[in-house]
Amino acid sequence: LTLLLAAMTLTFLIVVATLPAIGAFVGVQVDPLLLIALLVCLIPTTIGGLLPAIGIAGMNRALAANVLAKSGKAVEVAGDVDVLLLDKTGTITHGDRQATHFHALAGIDATQLREAALLSSLADPTPEGKSIVRLAREQGCTTAEPDRADYLAFTAQTRMSGVDLEGGRRIRKGASDAITAYVRELGGTVPAELPGRVEQVARNGATPLVVCEGRHVLGVIELSDVVKHGMREKFAQLRAMGIRTVMITGDNPLTAAAIAAEAGVDDYIAEARPEDKLARIRAEQAGGRLVAMVGDGTNDAPALAQADIGLAMNSGTQAAKEAGNMVDLDSDPAKLLAVVEVGKQQLITRGALTTFSLANDVSKYFAILPALFASTLPAMAALNVMHLSSPRNAVLAALIFNALVIPALIPLALRGVRFRPATATALLRRNMLVYGLGGVLLPFAAIKLIDLFLVSVFGA
């Protein structure tokens, strides 16, 4: 846009600079003051005056949604993203996974599985861990918290957690592949029944956690989560705008596929680690696409910094908030969808007003120049379709129109053009029809009316 405005300004500057020579050639004396006024009304000042208002309004709309944008450019880029990377938990689902069932393997007492699941979750601060303890207690497990225990926290690398107790008892719970590898490292064997149990839970859209004690697999914990209402419709709107959605989850591929199908996302990354996010962002950007993502942890900081739009949660770490170019004060991961809509509205507003302004500037050129030479060159009189009273009044009417049109458009720039999910082709067609045609016709009508007013007040 900057290059286009500079090119138009240079073009009009050359036109105005050569008018005295052209006028002298055809015997027309052009007043220098008139030339300066003509240049002022022809150069593209309208969009230049509106762009700051559009940027400020975009940041204000983001702030109204409790999103702190670090720059107006960030809001604008949000409207131009091609790919959204969304964490499943808390964004697509409610993020409140609850233990709903214990599936003991053949030959394993259900009581033994419940006790092992409870012990491995006593120090787990997550909602999932607390729900496992609660379900075990509800089903009659009365095991007390051990006096001496070494608890192991879940990490993205090990993908399991657990507890080491006195007497050499080692209990672990986690992803199926992680527990399988752990059991085999200890010299144990994985029951043939386990993959079927895991697949059964995963196909229902739940998350399976496998529990083992030492080198013996005990069973599977079923964690259920619910997809947020209206997510499929939101993703359909984003798809209509040409935006592809990618769900990121630590779940196994079967669970990820079930949730992705229910939510309506375009793609998913299962069993994802923090470095997988960064690799996917770089791969998308290498293909020429703009990427947006949400994060809250220190391990998300590299991906947030790499993404074109990084939305950090206010409840997240300082590293994440510094890496992102937006901060959600509500710490709602689903807010990324609202940010995209705000950015789209800003882009649509900028596109619409740019189309209007450029059409308006070109239209003024063809409205004024014929009036300057119509009295001297009969051939130019045919182009003076508005029959403006005089060259002086024509330029003065254009100056007055310029002075009125920018303040008149500022409310629209601040309010924004109404956002409707549509493809880029549909938006371009609408802008050209409404704002392009309006920008061409309005100067002719307005300059003619102002000219009539000047004639009635000051004479021809």
Side-chain angles (χ1 to χ4, degrees):
L1 179 60
T2 303
L3 291 175
L4 179 60
L5 294 178
M8 290 186 66
T9 302
L10 183 60
T11 301
F12 288 134
L13 185 61
I14 294 172
V15 169
V16 172
T18 56
L19 277 180
I22 296 172
F25 180 76
V26 297
V28 177
Q29 182 69 30
V30 183
D31 186 354
L33 191 59
L34 193 67
L35 286 175
I36 295 173
L38 179 63
L39 178 62
V40 169
C41 69
L42 285 183
I43 58 176
T45 54
T46 308
I47 190 61
L50 293 175
L51 283 177
I54 295 171
I56 292 170
M59 294 181 68
N60 190 55
R61 280 192 291 273
L63 190 58
N66 262 4
V67 174
L68 185 63
K70 297 182 180 179
S71 69
K73 184 67 175 177
V75 178
E76 188 173 306
V77 172
D80 209 23
V81 296
D82 303 296
V83 181
L84 288 183
L85 265 61
L86 303 162
D87 278 324
K88 184 205 76 173
T89 306
T91 305
I92 295 174
T93 65
H94 284 286
D96 188 23
R97 290 189 298 185
Q98 300 291 307
T100 54
H101 204 281
F102 294 119
H103 300 274
L105 297 184
I108 302 297
D109 192 313
T111 302
Q112 183 183 358
L113 173 60
R114 283 196 295 268
E115 182 191 36
L118 181 142
L119 288 171
S120 65
S121 304
L122 285 173
D124 190 339
T126 65
E128 294 91 336
K130 294 177 181 178
S131 73
I132 292 171
V133 174
R134 183 168 57 252
L135 181 63
R137 295 294 190 199
E138 289 173 354
Q139 294 187 1
C141 184
T142 57
T143 302
E145 184 173 350
D147 295 328
R148 294 182 180 180
D150 184 14
Y151 292 100
L152 285 81
F154 176 89
T155 68
Q157 286 71 35
T158 63
R159 298 176 60 237
M160 62 181 176
S161 60
V163 60
D164 291 341
L165 303 171
E166 288 184 323
R169 293 183 69 186
R170 292 183 290 181
I171 302 172
R172 299 289 185 272
K173 73 173 191 295
S176 175
D177 58 342
I179 296 298
T180 297
Y182 175 76
V183 168
R184 286 174 176 166
E185 281 179 9
L186 295 179
T189 57
V190 177
E193 178 191 357
L194 180 64
R197 285 284 191 178
V198 169
E199 182 175 342
Q200 176 189 353
V201 172
R203 287 195 184 280
N204 293 330
T207 302
L209 287 183
V210 179
V211 181
C212 72
E213 182 169 344
R215 58 183 184 177
H216 302 290
V217 179
L218 304 180
V220 179
I221 305 170
E222 182 174 337
L223 296 177
S224 298
D225 201 354
V226 179
V227 174
K228 291 181 178 179
H229 178 71
M231 293 306 294
R232 176 173 284 274
E233 290 75 16
K234 282 184 178 292
F235 291 140
Q237 288 180 358
L238 291 170
R239 195 173 299 111
M241 293 184 286
I243 299 174
R244 190 158 51 87
T245 51
V246 179
M247 181 184 77
I248 303 174
T249 176
D251 292 331
N252 66 66
L254 288 173
T255 302
I259 295 292
E262 183 181 353
V265 297
D266 299 306
D267 195 6
Y268 63 88
I269 304 174
E271 298 177 343
R273 298 165 298 173
E275 53 266 33
D276 294 331
K277 298 179 184 180
L278 183 60
R280 182 58 179 261
I281 291 172
R282 286 175 174 167
E284 295 288 355
Q285 290 174 333
R289 290 174 286 273
L290 298 179
V291 183
M293 75 156 286
V294 175
D296 60 357
T298 300
N299 57 4
D300 288 327
L304 286 170
Q306 180 69 35
D308 300 282
I309 291 297
L311 180 62
M313 301 293 99
N314 193 44
S315 60
T317 63
Q318 188 64 29
K321 287 187 280 188
E322 289 181 1
N325 47 18
M326 290 186 180
V327 178
D328 177 22
L329 302 180
D330 293 331
S331 298
D332 176 11
K335 192 72 67 67
L336 183 58
L337 303 178
V339 169
V340 170
E341 291 185 356
V342 170
K344 281 287 182 187
Q345 184 177 28
Q346 179 166 329
L347 274 181
I348 292 168
T349 302
R350 177 176 172 175
L353 293 182
T354 299
T355 302
F356 175 87
S357 301
L358 297 181
N360 166 72
D361 291 324
V362 173
S363 183
K364 283 185 293 185
Y365 175 82
F366 289 102
I368 299 170
L369 283 188
L372 293 179
F373 297 99
S375 59
T376 307
L377 298 175
M380 292 289 286
L383 298 177
N384 187 21
V385 293
M386 295 190 297
H387 302 289
L388 299 177
S389 57
S390 68
R392 179 180 62 84
N393 279 359
V395 174
L396 185 57
L399 283 173
I400 294 173
F401 172 72
N402 253 21
L404 295 175
V405 72
I406 296 178
L409 289 174
I410 283 177
L412 178 60
L414 294 174
R415 186 178 68 251
V417 175
R418 186 178 178 183
F419 170 73
R420 295 175 183 171
T423 62
T425 303
L427 290 173
L428 178 62
R429 188 185 303 117
R430 179 172 178 267
N431 281 352
M432 292 301 293
L433 181 63
V434 177
Y435 296 96
L437 189 59
V440 169
L441 297 178
L442 181 62
F444 282 96
I447 290 173
K448 178 60 179 177
L449 289 174
I450 295 171
D451 179 67
L452 292 174
F453 172 77
L454 293 174
V455 170
S456 66
V457 175
F458 303 107

